[in-house]
C-alpha cells in the first residue's frame, strides 16, 4: 500500500523538508487525520534526512497508538512490522537492526538519552501529539534540545500536534519555523442532553447505547463512542450488541488492554456500518475513517498525583472543553457530522477550558530519578518547558532520598536508584520489587502494588452483619491491612465479582474488578525483568519489609496506648484509622494518609497499615537510624534536658530523660531558638543595645579601614547563642547581661574608637552636652533644644571631621522645629521668624 499522497500534510512537504534541513527544528500544526503521524516520518526517510542509516524516533503519548501507527506505516512502506518500521512500548516491542522508523512511548526515549547522550543511531526525533503535554513529552523534548545544543547539532527535532499553544513552544524552540495546515474538515453539529443524567442511577453505558440508537437512525456513517476505560467500554459494547435497533451494526471496543488483533479489527474497514467504542485514544491519536457521528460521555481516565497514597493514580474525570471539541471533530472528517454530548449545555459552560499539563499534576519522582541518572543533579535548573511547582520537585527528591535512590547534599543517584530505573513504574513500587526479588515475594508485591494503585474497594463503616461476615473471612489478621485486602480480592475473584457476594462483605464490585488487570500488568513487568513470579507460600515478614521499603516516609509511631494518635516521619501527626486491623502495634507504615477536614480542623487518618519492627529499621536503613544521647527543650519546664533517644530520621522512637547535664553548646542552640522565636525574652536586650548595634554598623561603614564586621541579622542569632551559652533554662537566661557578649564582637582597638568616633553624646561649643542618634542608613542626628544651642554657631562633624552631623533643633516641648546641616544658617534665617511666636508660647524659657 503506497503512502496516500492526497493527504493534506503533503501540501507542506516541500517546505517541511527544506525547513528541517535548514534549521534542524520545526513545529507542525495540522488537524487530526491530516497525515502527520503516518506521513512525516516517511517524508524524513524518503528525502534522505535520516542520513544513510539513521533512525527517526516518534514519541507517542499512548501505547495503543504507537503500535497501530507502526503497523499502518509498515503497510504503507510495504515491509513487515519490525523491519524498516517498528515500535517499542512497555512489555512489547518489534524492532530490528533494519528499523528506520521507530514509534515509542513513555520513558523509553528518555532512558535511552540517559544511557547514551550522543543518541547514536538516531537522526531525528518526532514529538507527536504534543498538545497532550504528557510528562515524558515535555522532558524528552527538553533533553533533546540540550543534546542538540551540545553533542548533536545535526539532530533533527520536529514537534507535531493537532492544536498547540504555539507561542509558548515557539519561544522555547526558537529559532524555529511553524508550518500550519488547515486540513479538510466538515461542520459538526453539537447536541447536548436536555437534562442532566446521574450515571450512578442510569449507567453511562445504558445512556450511550440509547443515544446510539437514536443517532444511528438519523445518520448514515459509522459511530464513535467515547468512554473512560476498558470496563465502561465492555459494558457499552454489551448494551449495543443487545440492542434490537442496532442489530445491523458491527460493534468494536478499542482500548490499550485489548489483544493486538482486537485493536486491529476496530480500525479495519467493513461493508456494514460500525460502532467503535473507544477511550480517548481516538480523540486525536488515531483516525478511524468513515465516522460521521460521535457520542461523547464527557469523561476520561486521567493520571493525577494522589497525595493520600503518594503515587500517581488514574481517576475518572470530566474532560475539558478543548478535549470535547477534539472529540466532536472526529465526526466531520469525511462529511458533515453530528456529536452528542452526554451532559447539558449548562454544565459544559462550567468545564475547564484545557487540561493542566502533566508536569503540573503528576508526581515527578520517576522522571527526576531518570534525570539524575543522566547526571542532571540540579533539577531546578533543568530547562523545563513549563516549570513544575518547586514543592513538587522537592517532594520528589525527598521521596527518592527516603527510598535510598539519592544521597548526599548533591542528591545524586545511588546504586539502588540505578537499579530501580529498570522498573518502568512509580519509584515506590520499583523499590518494593527490588526488595521482593531478594526476599522471594514478587507475586505479593505485584498484588500490593495493584491494591494501592486502584481505588479502595473495601467499604468503610459497614454494618454489624457485614463486619461479622468479614471477621469470618479474615480471621485474626493483625499484621497488615494489605493482607485483608488480598483475602477480600481473592474472595471476590473466586466469586467471579458477583454483585451479591461482594455486597455481603461490603466490597465495591466495580472497584475490586480493577485489581486483577493491574496485578497482571505488574506481574508482566516483573517477569520481563526476569524476576521470579512463581506462586510461593506468603512470607508475612518479607512482604511487610517490602512495604516498609516502599513507604518508609509513611512510618508512624503510636504516641500512647490509650489513644489512636501517632507521630510520623517528616514531622507529621495523624490518627490510626479505627477499622485498621493492626490495633495494638506501636510501629507501622500507613500506605494511605488521608486528610479529612471537619469543623475547621484537619484530621489526618492513617489507613492501609502494615506493622513493622524497630529492628527492621536498623537493618534496612542503617544510616537513618540513630541510637544516641539527645538534648531537647522541654516546653513545660522551659528547660533544656538531656535524653537518651532512638530515632528513625526525624521521628523519635523512644526518648528517656537522664540526670546528665546536657552539653552546653547544644543547650545554648536550643535556648537561642526559643529566644529567636520570641518565646523567651532577654530583658537586657533593650533599645540602647539596638542603638549600640547601629553604631557598630555605622563604624564598619564609615571606617572600612578598621575592618569591623557589621552585625547582620544572621549574626544576631550567633550572638544570642553566645549569650545563652552556659544556661539551661529560661529563668536563669532571661535577665542575663548581654553587653559583655556584644562588646566581644569588637577587637579592643575597635571598641576603643567606637566611643571616640561615634559617641552617644557630644559636648558642644557652649559646654553643654547633646544626644546623637544613629540610624541604619542616614547620617547621625544631634538633637537639642534651642536654649541648649545658644552660643553654638557652626556645623558639627564626628570622627575627627569625617562624618557630618545633622542637627535637629527642638522646641521646649521636645518637638522638632527644623533639621539642618548648618546652625549659622538657622540663627540667621529661621530663628528670627519663629522667635516671637515661640517666646509667646513658652514665656518662662529664656529667649535670647
Ligand atoms: P494525523 O497524525 O495528522 O492525525 P495520521 O497520519 O494518523 O494523521 O492519519 C492519516 C490518515 O491515514 C487517516 O486519516 C486515515 O485515513 C489513515 N490511517 C492512519 N492510520 C490508519 C490505520 N491504522 N488504519 C487505517 N487507516 C489509517
Ligand atoms: Mg497523529
Amino acid at each position: 500500500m503506497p503512502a496516500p499522497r492526497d493527504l493534506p500534510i503533503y501540501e507542506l512537504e516541500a517546505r517541511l523538508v527544506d525547513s528541517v534541513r535548514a534549521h534542524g527544528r520545526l513545529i507542525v500544526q495540522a488537524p487530526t487525520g491530516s497525515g502527520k503521524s503516518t506521513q512525516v516520518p516517511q517524508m524524513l526517510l524518503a528525502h534522505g534526512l535520516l542520513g544513510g542509516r539513521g533512525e527517526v524516533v516518534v514519541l507517542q503519548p499512548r501505547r495503543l497508538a504507537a503500535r497501530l501507527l507502526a503497523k499502518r506505516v509498515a503497510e504503507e512502506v510495504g515491509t513487515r512490522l519490525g523491519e524498516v518500521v517498528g515500535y517499542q512500548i512497555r512489555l512489547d516491542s518489534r524492532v530490528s537492526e533494519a528499523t528506520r522508523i521507530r514509534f515509542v512511548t513513555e520513558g523509553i526515549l528518555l532512558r535511552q538519552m540517559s544511557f547514551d547522550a550522543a543518541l547514536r543511531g538516531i537522526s531525528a526525533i518526532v514529538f507527536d501529539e504534543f498538545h497532550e503535554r504528557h510528562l515524558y513529552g515535555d522532558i524528552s523534548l527538553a533533553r533533546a534540545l540540550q543534546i542538540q545544543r551540545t553533542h548533536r547539532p545535526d539532530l533533527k527535532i520536529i514537534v507535531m500536534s493537532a492544536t498547540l499553544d504555539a507561542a509558548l513552544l515557539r519561544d522555547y524552540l526558537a529559532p524555529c519555523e511553524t508550518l500550519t495546515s488547515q486540513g479538510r474538515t466538515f461542520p459538526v453539529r453539537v447536541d447536548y442532553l436536555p437534562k442532566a443524567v446521574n450515571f450512578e442511577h442510569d449507567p453511562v453505558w445504558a445512556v450511550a447505547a440509547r443515544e446510539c440508537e437514536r443517532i444511528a437512525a438519523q445518520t448514515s456513517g459509522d459511530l464513535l463512542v467515547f468512554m473512560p476505560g476498558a470496563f465502561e467500554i465492555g459494558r457499552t459494547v454489551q448494551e449495543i450488541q443487545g440492542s434490537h435497533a442496532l442489530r445491523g451494526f458491527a460493534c468494536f471496543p478499542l482500548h490499550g488492554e485489548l489483544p493486538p488483533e482486537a485493536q486491529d479489527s476496530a480500525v479495519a474497514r467493513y461493508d456494514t456500518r460500525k460502532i467503535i467504542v473507544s477511550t480517548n485514544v481516538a480523540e486525536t491519536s488515531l483516525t478511524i475513517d468513515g465516522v460521521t457521528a460521535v457520542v461523547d460521555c464527557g469523561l476520561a481516565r486521567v493520571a493525577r498525583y494522589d497525595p493520600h497514597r503518594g503515587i500517581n493514580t488514574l481517576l475518572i474525570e470530566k474532560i475539558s472543553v478543548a478535549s470535547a471539541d477534539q472529540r466532536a471533530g472526529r465526526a466531520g472528517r469525511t462529511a458533515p457530522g453530528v456529536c452528542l454530548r452526554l451532559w447539558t449545555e449548562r454544565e459544559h459552560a462550567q468545564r475547564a477550558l484545557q487540561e493542566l499539563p502533566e508536569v503540573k499534576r503528576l508526581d515527578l519522582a520517576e522522571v527526576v530519578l531518570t534525570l539524575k541518572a543522566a547526571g542532571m543533579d540540579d533539577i531546578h535548573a533543568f530547562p523545563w518547558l513549563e516549570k513544575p511547582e518547586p514543592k513538587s520537585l522537592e517532594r520528589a527528591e525527598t521521596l527518592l532520598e527516603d527510598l535510598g535512590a539519592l544521597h548526599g547534599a548533591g542528591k545524586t543517584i545511588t546504586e539502588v536508584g540505578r537499579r530501580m530505573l529498570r522498573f518502568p513504574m512509580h519509584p515506590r513500587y520499583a523499590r518494593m520489587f527490588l526488595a521482593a526479588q531478594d526476599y522471594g515475594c514478587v507475586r505479593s508485591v505485584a498484588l500490593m502494588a495493584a491494591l494501592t494503585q486502584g481505588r479502595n474497594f473495601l467499604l468503610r463503616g459497614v454494618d454489624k452483619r457485614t463486619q461479622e461476615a468479614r471477621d469470618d473471612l479474615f480471621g485474626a489478621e493483625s499484621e497488615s491491612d494489605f493482607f485483608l485486602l488480598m483475602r477480600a480480592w481473592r474472595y471476590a475473584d473466586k466469586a467471579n465479582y458477583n454483585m451479591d457476594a461482594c455486597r455481603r462483605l461490603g466490597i465495591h464490585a466495580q472497584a475490586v474488578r480493577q485489581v486483577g488487570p493491574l496485578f497482571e500488568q505488574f506481574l508482566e513487568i516483573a517477569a520481563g525483568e526476569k524476576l521470579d513470579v512463581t506462586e510461593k507460600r506468603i512470607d508475612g515478614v518479607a512482604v511487610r519489609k517490602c512495604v516498609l521499603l516502599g513507604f518508609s516516609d509513611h512510618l508512624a509511631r503510636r504516641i500512647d496506648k490509650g489513644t489512636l494518635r501517632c507521630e510520623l516521619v517528616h514531622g507529621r501527626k495523624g490518627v490510626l484509622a479505627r477499622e485498621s486491623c493492626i490495633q495494638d502495634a506501636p510501629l507501622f507504615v500507613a500506605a494511605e494518609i488521608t486528610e479529612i477536614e471537619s469543623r475547621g480542623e484537619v484530621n489526618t487518618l492513617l489507613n492501609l497499615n502494615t506493622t513493622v519492627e524497630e529492628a527492621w529499621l536498623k537493618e534496612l536503613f542503617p544510616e537513618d537510624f540513630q541510637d544516641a544521647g539527645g538534648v531537647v527543650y522541654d516546653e513545660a519546664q522551659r528547660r533544656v534536658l538531656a535524653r537518651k533517644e532512638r530515632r528513625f530520621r526525624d521521628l523519635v522512637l523512644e526518648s528517656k530523660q537522664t540526670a546528665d547535664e546536657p552539653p552546653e553548646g547544644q543547650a545554648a542552640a536550643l535556648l537561642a531558638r526559643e529566644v529567636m522565636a520570641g518565646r523567651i525574652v532577654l530583658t537586657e536586650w533593650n533599645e540602647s543595645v539596638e542603638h549600640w548595634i547601629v553604631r557598630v554598623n555605622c563604624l564598619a561603614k564609615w571606617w572600612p579601614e578598621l575592618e569591623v564586621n557589621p552585625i547582620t541579622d544572621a549574626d544576631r542569632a550567633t550572638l544570642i547563642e553566645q549569650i545563652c551559652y552556659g544556661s539551661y533554662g529560661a529563668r536563669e537566661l532571661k535577665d542575663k547581661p548581654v553587653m559583655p557578649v556584644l562588646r566581644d564582637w569588637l577587637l579592643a582597638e575597635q571598641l576603643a574608637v567606637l566611643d571616640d568616633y561615634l559617641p552617644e553624646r557630644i559636648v558642644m561649643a557652649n559646654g553643654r552636652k547633646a544626644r546623637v542618634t544613629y540610624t541604619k542608613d542616614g547620617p547621625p542626628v544631634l538633637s537639642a533644644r534651642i536654649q541648649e544651642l545658644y552660643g553654638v554657631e557652626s556645623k558639627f562633624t564626628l570622627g575627627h571631621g569625617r562624618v557630618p552631623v545633622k542637627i535637629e533643633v527642638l522646641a521646649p516641648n521636645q518637638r522638632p522645629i527644623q533639621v539642618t546641616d548648618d546652625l549659622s544658617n538657622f540663627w540667621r534665617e529661621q530663628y528670627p521668624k519663629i522667635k516671637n511666636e515661640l517666646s509667646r508660647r513658652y514665656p518662662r524659657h529664656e529667649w535670647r
Side-chain angles (χ1 to χ4, degrees):
M1 184 194 309
R5 299 205 50 101
D6 55 343
L7 283 169
I9 197 73
Y10 281 97
E11 294 158 10
L12 301 178
E13 182 176 17
R15 287 163 65 202
L16 187 145
V17 170
D18 287 348
S19 186
V20 172
R21 190 168 277 138
H23 311 297
R25 292 181 199 169
L26 180 64
I27 300 172
V28 179
Q29 191 173 348
T32 308
S34 305
K36 297 183 300 297
S37 308
T38 53
Q39 308 309 313
V40 170
Q42 295 187 67
M43 288 178 193
L44 297 178
L45 182 63
H47 290 274
L49 286 165
L50 305 179
R53 298 189 44 193
E55 198 187 16
V56 51
V57 177
V58 186
L59 182 65
Q60 284 290 328
R62 294 195 174 75
R63 294 195 281 270
L64 168 54
R67 199 189 68 78
L68 280 175
L69 285 168
K71 181 170 174 284
R72 169 76 179 181
V73 175
E75 281 166 10
E76 289 184 3
V77 170
T79 65
R80 284 217 308 265
L81 186 57
E83 291 175 0
V84 174
V85 185
Y87 67 91
Q88 204 179 359
I89 60 184
R90 201 171 79 183
L91 305 178
D92 186 13
S93 104
R94 296 281 286 277
V95 287
S96 66
E97 285 291 300
T99 303
R100 308 289 303 280
I101 298 176
R102 175 162 56 112
F103 289 86
V104 305
T105 55
E106 292 174 312
I108 284 168
L109 178 60
L110 188 63
R111 257 163 252 228
Q112 191 173 354
M113 290 168 165
S114 320
F115 296 122
D116 175 19
L119 282 180
R120 264 177 288 264
I122 298 180
S123 299
I125 305 178
V126 174
F127 295 87
D128 201 5
E129 297 284 296
F130 200 78
H131 67 275
E132 295 242 354
R133 295 296 309 282
H134 273 232
L135 187 51
Y136 280 105
D138 273 19
I139 291 174
S140 310
L141 176 59
R143 279 293 285 146
L145 288 173
Q146 279 185 325
I147 289 174
Q148 193 190 45
R149 287 195 184 103
T150 52
H151 308 284
R152 288 287 310 279
D154 64 308
L155 183 70
K156 316 263 181 289
I157 297 174
I158 299 171
V159 182
M160 310 201 296
S161 154
T163 59
L164 259 187
D165 179 2
L168 177 70
L169 197 64
R170 250 198 305 269
D171 289 346
Y172 189 62
L173 292 178
C176 171
E177 221 181 319
T178 304
L179 295 182
T180 310
S181 157
Q182 298 310 324
R184 298 169 209 133
T185 47
F186 294 87
V188 174
R189 192 186 81 221
V190 174
D191 290 343
Y192 293 88
L193 289 184
K195 233 175 75 204
V197 175
N198 182 348
F199 294 145
E200 290 281 319
H201 301 131
D202 198 358
V204 63
W205 45 85
V207 181
R210 278 203 307 270
E211 294 302 331
C212 281
E213 290 175 354
R214 206 168 57 77
I215 287 185
Q218 298 171 2
T219 58
S220 58
D222 294 342
L223 274 67
L224 174 60
V225 182
F226 284 102
M227 282 287 150
F231 176 72
E232 294 82 2
I233 289 173
R235 297 300 295 258
T236 311
V237 170
Q238 269 176 18
E239 292 275 339
I240 289 172
Q241 285 169 341
S243 154
H244 188 68
L246 296 171
R247 68 190 180 286
F249 282 78
C251 183
F252 301 96
L254 181 60
H255 57 80
E257 288 154 43
L258 291 173
E261 312 77 61
Q263 296 174 354
D264 296 343
S265 44
V267 295
R269 282 164 199 259
Y270 299 89
D271 293 333
T272 52
R273 290 176 75 187
K274 65 175 175 176
I275 303 178
I276 301 105
V277 188
S278 172
T279 58
N280 55 8
V281 71
E283 191 174 298
T284 55
S285 297
L286 288 178
T287 297
I288 300 159
D289 286 327
V291 171
T292 56
V294 164
V295 174
D296 182 2
C297 76
L299 303 169
R301 279 158 77 81
V302 178
R304 203 176 278 283
Y305 174 65
D306 176 358
H308 310 321
R309 285 170 280 180
I311 47 166
N312 296 326
T313 40
L314 284 169
L315 303 173
I316 293 184
E317 293 181 7
K318 290 179 180 171
I319 60 169
S320 66
V321 171
S323 230
D325 287 344
Q326 284 295 328
R327 288 181 175 188
R330 308 297 71 230
R333 279 259 306 126
T334 41
V338 291
C339 168
L340 177 72
R341 294 178 171 164
L342 301 185
W343 62 97
T344 63
E345 193 160 11
R346 212 166 133 179
E347 201 240 288
H348 188 69
Q350 289 157 7
R351 294 202 169 200
L353 289 178
Q354 218 114 39
E355 266 298 336
L356 267 187
E358 281 193 350
V359 71
K360 301 258 184 194
R361 63 177 151 91
L362 284 189
D363 177 47
L364 302 173
E366 191 177 344
V367 294
V368 166
L369 188 61
T370 313
L371 292 179
K372 298 265 180 178
M376 227 118 341
D377 287 330
D378 184 2
I379 47 164
H380 294 268
F382 184 71
W384 304 92
L385 171 58
E386 262 180 279
K387 235 181 162 42
E389 302 295 322
K391 239 176 49 200
S392 71
L393 283 177
E394 278 156 33
R395 189 182 65 220
E397 284 195 314
T398 307
L399 172 64
L400 289 169
E401 276 183 295
D402 286 348
L403 293 173
L406 303 180
H407 74 141
K411 307 202 172 156
T412 47
I413 191 164
T414 60
E415 193 44 45
V416 168
R418 283 189 196 283
R419 284 167 58 207
M420 280 162 60
L421 271 184
R422 281 177 29 217
F423 300 90
M425 55 179 73
H426 192 274
R428 284 189 197 277
Y429 301 148
R431 184 70 192 88
M432 285 164 70
F433 272 107
L434 214 53
Q437 190 175 9
D438 298 338
Y439 294 134
C441 56
V442 174
R443 277 193 94 79
S444 302
V445 161
L447 182 51
M448 282 191 299
L451 290 168
T452 28
Q453 180 82 71
R455 237 177 343 135
N456 177 40
F457 57 80
L458 209 50
L459 301 176
R460 287 169 183 154
V462 291
D463 60 25
K464 209 163 143 239
R465 273 236 330 261
T466 312
Q467 191 54 51
E468 280 165 12
R470 279 187 188 175
D471 290 345
D472 285 345
L473 179 72
F474 299 153
E477 189 57 71
S478 66
E479 290 185 331
S480 173
D481 292 322
F482 274 118
F483 298 158
L484 299 189
L485 287 183
M486 289 179 182
R487 288 199 207 192
W489 172 68
R490 290 223 168 77
Y491 163 88
D493 190 51
K494 256 199 208 118
N496 231 340
Y497 303 99
N498 175 284
M499 284 286 219
D500 291 328
C502 287
R503 194 171 307 126
R504 208 170 308 132
L505 269 103
I507 294 172
H508 193 291
Q510 204 171 314
V512 75
R513 258 172 201 285
Q514 293 170 2
V515 175
L518 283 168
F519 181 31
E520 289 301 323
Q521 266 181 31
F522 280 112
L523 279 179
E524 241 179 289
I525 297 173
E529 287 303 324
K530 314 255 176 321
L531 305 192
D532 176 7
V533 293
T534 53
E535 188 92 56
K536 291 204 179 77
R537 212 184 61 79
I538 293 177
D539 173 357
V541 169
V543 174
R544 281 152 61 208
K545 281 184 178 175
C546 290
V547 177
L548 173 58
L549 282 162
F551 289 86
S552 66
D553 58 323
H554 286 192
L555 182 76
R557 182 186 75 86
R558 293 282 289 277
I559 293 177
D560 48 41
K561 282 227 161 70
T563 72
L564 296 170
R565 292 183 307 141
C566 301
E567 279 179 342
L568 286 89
V569 282
H570 296 305
R572 285 190 287 181
K573 287 189 168 35
V575 178
L576 173 63
R578 211 166 279 285
E579 61 268 29
S580 177
C581 75
I582 62 146
Q583 290 302 332
D584 296 325
L587 213 55
F588 64 95
V589 166
E592 194 181 304
I593 300 181
T594 321
E595 282 175 358
I596 297 172
E597 223 187 300
S598 74
R599 281 177 255 121
E601 244 179 75
V602 179
N603 233 330
T604 304
L605 260 190
L606 309 178
N607 264 311
L608 205 42
N609 305 309
T610 299
T611 62
V612 298
E613 278 162 34
E614 200 181 298
W616 303 351
L617 298 176
K618 217 179 211 170
E619 171 197 331
L620 301 175
F621 305 90
E623 281 168 24
D624 295 338
F625 191 90
Q626 278 131 35
D627 189 352
V631 179
V632 290
Y633 178 75
D634 184 306
E635 276 168 39
Q637 300 182 49
R638 299 181 36 127
R639 273 196 85 73
V640 177
L641 303 170
R643 314 192 68 103
K644 231 182 121 43
E645 61 180 24
R646 294 193 310 284
R647 321 169 152 248
F648 176 70
R649 300 183 187 143
D650 64 342
L651 178 67
V652 177
L653 300 171
E654 198 189 30
S655 171
K656 269 197 250 148
Q657 192 175 324
T658 67
D660 307 346
E661 188 129 290
E664 284 177 313
Q666 287 181 41
L670 287 174
L671 286 174
R673 209 179 55 193
E674 296 303 301
V675 174
M676 294 295 287
R679 290 188 288 264
I680 299 177
V681 176
L682 297 174
T683 53
E684 291 289 303
W685 191 300
N686 53 22
E687 280 289 306
S688 75
V689 171
E690 290 294 344
H691 196 225
W692 187 87
I693 292 175
V694 173
R695 283 166 66 216
V696 170
N697 290 346
C698 288
L699 189 68
K701 184 163 64 182
W702 293 327
W703 279 272
E705 69 273 24
L706 290 175
E707 297 185 345
V708 171
N709 290 321
I711 299 176
T712 64
D713 285 343
D715 296 327
R716 279 168 190 265
T718 317
L719 288 165
I720 287 171
E721 200 165 321
Q722 278 174 39
I723 293 163
C724 296
Y725 202 85
S727 298
Y728 296 97
R731 190 173 327 152
E732 65 208 71
L733 175 63
K734 73 183 193 329
D735 298 325
K736 221 168 165 180
V738 305
M739 276 317 288
V741 169
L742 287 184
R743 268 194 217 102
D744 262 355
W745 183 261
L746 299 180
L747 301 172
E749 57 271 28
Q750 294 169 338
L751 195 57
V753 295
L754 179 63
D755 285 337
D756 178 16
Y757 292 177
L758 301 177
E760 283 185 281
R761 288 169 185 285
I762 53 177
V763 181
M764 296 181 289
N766 61 7
R768 290 173 184 261
K769 278 189 178 168
R771 178 161 46 91
V772 186
T773 311
Y774 299 86
T775 56
K776 225 163 73 193
D777 305 310
V781 178
L782 179 153
S783 311
R785 278 183 287 127
I786 290 184
Q787 282 74 21
E788 292 166 333
L789 290 167
Y790 287 146
V792 183
E793 287 290 339
S794 60
K795 301 180 180 183
F796 280 103
T797 55
L798 289 175
H800 308 287
R802 187 176 295 194
V803 183
V805 175
K806 279 215 181 294
I807 301 144
E808 183 182 51
V809 184
L810 305 176
N813 65 350
Q814 302 285 356
R815 287 262 171 79
I817 299 172
Q818 183 163 28
V819 179
T820 175
D821 291 323
D822 189 351
L823 267 184
S824 47
N825 212 334
F826 171 74
W827 294 133
R828 209 172 42 242
E829 308 280 334
Q830 274 79 32
Y831 184 62
K833 291 185 203 149
I834 55 176
K835 181 177 165 185
N836 284 342
E837 158 77 18
L838 284 170
S839 58
R840 215 173 317 117
R841 252 206 278 166
Y842 303 103
R844 278 189 294 167
H845 287 77
E846 183 196 0
W847 296 101
R848 284 194 204 162

